[in-house]
């Protein structure tokens, strides 16, 4: 059981569940173009069993019944994403079926009284744009602006909220420095460019949407708390650098129009010409800030070249992902973000949840959700303006390089029959959301 009721949260506090297009839709359907995730998955060694998003959860044809389950649970909002390659298969030419699909999906949400919270880009870059350099190419900001105008020109009138890019850190660092996600590069120069262009594209999309007269626009950033492995100055410095390129780079760029000095020490020499002149675009005023939070990392220095540190195993209980369960980090990020970056701006938890092997009797997930909602409560009582909590994920799905075996859903998905079965966590949240006083 959840230990909260809806009435424990401020009036108007939104509860929702999240998904993303490539992870659930079934990307081989509906005339979507090839993406850099398809290329990455087709290259042996990148993705477990070389699995891809061709069919995924077949949400493309099943979205109506999925939304019935979302509504039956009592959720207020649904966070989803729009696939660039579905709307523009080669990155620039429009696929009318793709636009029609998101139009129908939007209306299906509204018919059920669910607030559509869109993310424009959750990682499925059209391969044709990756051929041109993808996130390394400054022109991506312009291309992304055009995609934004195309998709939001069609559905923007009915969105509750929109954020341009899910988790800029994953687009920049995880995909270009660590090579864990598409395009799978391990290249510091590519990283510096992607880390900057992803924010330039963010700001360009915000400008495009303001031009369409839209409001309630925000950004969705991911956060990991960095705990030094010990109290030596070297470990503290290492953790500060992790915090710098993971968390502070993006908040700094968007809300302070500057990047952290400790990160520029390493990335500075590789930045594209004229990056200092881009902050007026990057720092476009926002209406809210979204935080995705799952875990922390314990960081120790090492003798590698910059950033000269590594993650070391921590002592806390872990999820199926091997991620430590550390709810304190969520409380600390909510209060720190408000105190240092966003002030009174509404904050939303836009992703939080756990992967588990426990099947439909997922008591571990219920405990995780309780602990993290407690962290939200603590942040609220310290004055952080938290306005909503969106859990990851509505259903088990394609967990990127880890394929289909990491299960984050409130709904169990049988990937042979594609049948959905509500888990105990779904029922527990449903019960919580029904308790209005
Ligand atoms: C986040 C991603 C989401 C999912 C969860 C587990 O980083 O936004 O797509 O993979 O992690």
């Amino acid at each position: 059981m959840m230990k909260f009721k809806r009435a424990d949260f401020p009036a108007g506090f939104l509860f929702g569940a999240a998904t993303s297009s490539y992870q659930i839709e079934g990307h081989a359907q509906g005339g979507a173009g090839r993406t850099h995730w398809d290329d990455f998955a087709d290259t042996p060694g990148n993705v477990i069993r070389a699995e891809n998003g061709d069919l995924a959860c077949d949400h493309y044809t099943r979205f109506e019944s999925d939304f019935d389950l979302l509504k039956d649970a009592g959720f207020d909002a649904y966070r989803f994403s729009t696939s660039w390659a579905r709307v523009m298969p080669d990155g620039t030419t429009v696929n009318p079926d793709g636009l029609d699909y998101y139009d129908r999906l939007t209306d299906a949400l509204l018919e059920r009284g669910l607030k559509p919270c869109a993310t424009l880009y959750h990682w499925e870059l059209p391969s044709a744009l990756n051929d041109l350099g993808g996130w390394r190419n400054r022109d991506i900001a312009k291309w992304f602006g055009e995609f934004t105008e195309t998709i939001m020109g069609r559905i923007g009138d009915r969105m509750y909220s929109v954020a341009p890019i899910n988790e800029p850190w994953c687009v920049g660092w995880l995909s270009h420095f660590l090579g864990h996600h598409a395009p799978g590069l391990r290249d510091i120069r590519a990283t510096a460019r992607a880390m900057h262009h992803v924010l330039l594209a963010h700001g360009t999309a915000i400008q495009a949407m303001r031009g369409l007269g839209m409001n309630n626009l925000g950004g969705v950033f991911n956060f990991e708390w960095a705990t030094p492995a010990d109290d030596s100055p070297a470990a503290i410095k290492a953790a500060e650098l992790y915090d710098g390129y993971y968390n502070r780079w993006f908040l700094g760029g968007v809300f302070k129009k500057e990047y952290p000095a400790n990160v520029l020490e390493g990335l500075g020499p590789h930045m594209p010409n004229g990056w200092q002149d881009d902050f007026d675009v990057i720092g476009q005023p926002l209406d809210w800030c979204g935080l995705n939070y799952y875990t922390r990392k314990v960081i120790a220095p090492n003798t590698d070249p910059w950033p000269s540190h590594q993650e070391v195993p921590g002592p806390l209980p872990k999820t199926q992902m091997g991620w430590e369960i550390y709810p304190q980090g969520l409380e600390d990020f909510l209060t720190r973000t408000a105190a240092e970056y966003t002030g009174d701006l509404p904050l939303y938890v836009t992703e939080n949840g756990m992967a588990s092997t426990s099947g439909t009797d997922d008591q571990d997930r219920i405990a995780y959700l309780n602990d993290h909602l407690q962290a939200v409560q603590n942040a609220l009582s310290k004055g952080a303006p938290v306005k909503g909590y969106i859990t990851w994920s509505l259903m088990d799905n394609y967990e990127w390089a880890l394929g289909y075996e990491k299960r984050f859903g409130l709904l169990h998905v049988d990937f042979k029959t594609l049948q959905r079965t509500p888990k105990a966590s779904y029922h527990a949240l449903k019960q919580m959301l029904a308790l209005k006083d």
Side-chain angles (χ1 to χ4, degrees), residues 23 122-123 166-167 170 292 294 323 351 392 399-400 408:
Q23 292 178 277
H122 200 127
W123 307 350
N166 180 67
E167 302 190 345
C170 291
N292 293 358
Y294 292 91
W323 294 346
E351 280 183 31
W392 183 272
E399 180 44 39
W400 306 111
F408 276 91

Side-chain angles (χ1 to χ4, degrees), residues 33-39 85 89-90 125-132:
R34 192 172 173 84
T35 77
H36 70 171
W37 261 97
D38 301 304
D39 305 331
D90 63 0
L125 188 70
S127 295
L129 298 182
N130 194 40
D131 293 341
L132 300 177

Side-chain angles (χ1 to χ4, degrees), residues 279-329:
F279 284 112
D280 283 342
V281 178
I282 290 173
Q284 289 294 300
L286 298 180
D287 303 312
W288 54 272
C289 175
L291 292 84
N292 293 358
Y293 177 80
Y294 292 91
T295 190
R296 70 159 185 182
K297 290 285 159 56
V298 181
I299 305 297
N302 70 15
T303 55
D304 286 348
W306 188 93
S308 317
H309 63 211
Q310 64 193 37
E311 301 170 14
V312 297
L316 303 175
K318 298 181 181 57
T319 72
Q320 190 193 7
M321 297 291 274
W323 294 346
E324 286 189 292
I325 299 174
Y326 185 63
Q328 183 67 43

Side-chain angles (χ1 to χ4, degrees), residues 56-240:
C57 307
D58 188 29
H59 180 73
Y60 185 76
T61 62
R62 297 166 196 247
F63 65 90
E64 301 253 6
S65 48
D66 288 338
F67 295 166
D68 287 342
L69 288 162
L70 195 61
K71 176 185 157 67
D72 285 351
F75 284 113
D76 311 300
Y78 177 55
R79 179 171 174 255
F80 68 105
S81 73
T82 52
S83 164
W84 191 342
R86 180 176 296 294
V87 173
M88 296 167 129
D90 63 0
T92 51
T93 314
V94 173
N95 167 29
D97 289 348
L99 283 178
D100 288 349
Y101 170 65
Y102 291 115
D103 198 80
R104 284 185 278 126
L105 183 144
T106 298
D107 286 341
L109 289 169
L110 294 175
E111 278 160 21
R112 291 164 178 79
L114 293 160
K115 293 182 164 50
C117 303
T119 305
L120 287 163
Y121 180 79
H122 200 127
W123 307 350
E124 55 286 285
L125 188 70
S127 295
L129 298 182
N130 194 40
D131 293 341
L132 300 177
W135 292 101
R136 284 169 291 160
N137 187 334
R138 181 183 175 84
D139 287 344
I140 196 149
K142 186 172 57 102
W143 304 329
F144 188 60
E146 288 162 7
F147 163 56
T148 303
E149 281 178 357
T150 303
I151 180 66
M152 285 302 144
R154 181 68 177 267
I155 64 171
D157 56 331
R158 283 157 288 157
M159 292 299 105
Y160 176 74
S161 68
V162 185
I165 292 168
N166 180 67
E167 302 190 345
W169 178 85
C170 291
V171 176
W173 195 273
L174 188 69
S175 306
H176 294 83
F177 195 78
L178 300 178
H180 294 176
H181 277 187
L185 296 182
R186 299 190 64 227
D187 182 314
I188 196 169
R189 191 169 174 83
T191 304
R193 279 140 207 273
M195 296 276 279
H196 182 66
H197 294 150
V198 71
L199 290 183
L200 190 62
H202 157 89
T204 304
I206 296 290
Q207 286 179 320
M209 289 189 282
R210 297 286 183 213
L212 293 170
M214 294 175 61
N215 54 33
N216 209 16
L217 309 179
V220 170
F221 309 95
N222 56 321
F223 295 84
E224 276 189 10
W225 198 261
T227 303
D230 56 47
D231 53 14
S232 66
I236 292 168
K237 188 170 169 218
E240 282 172 356

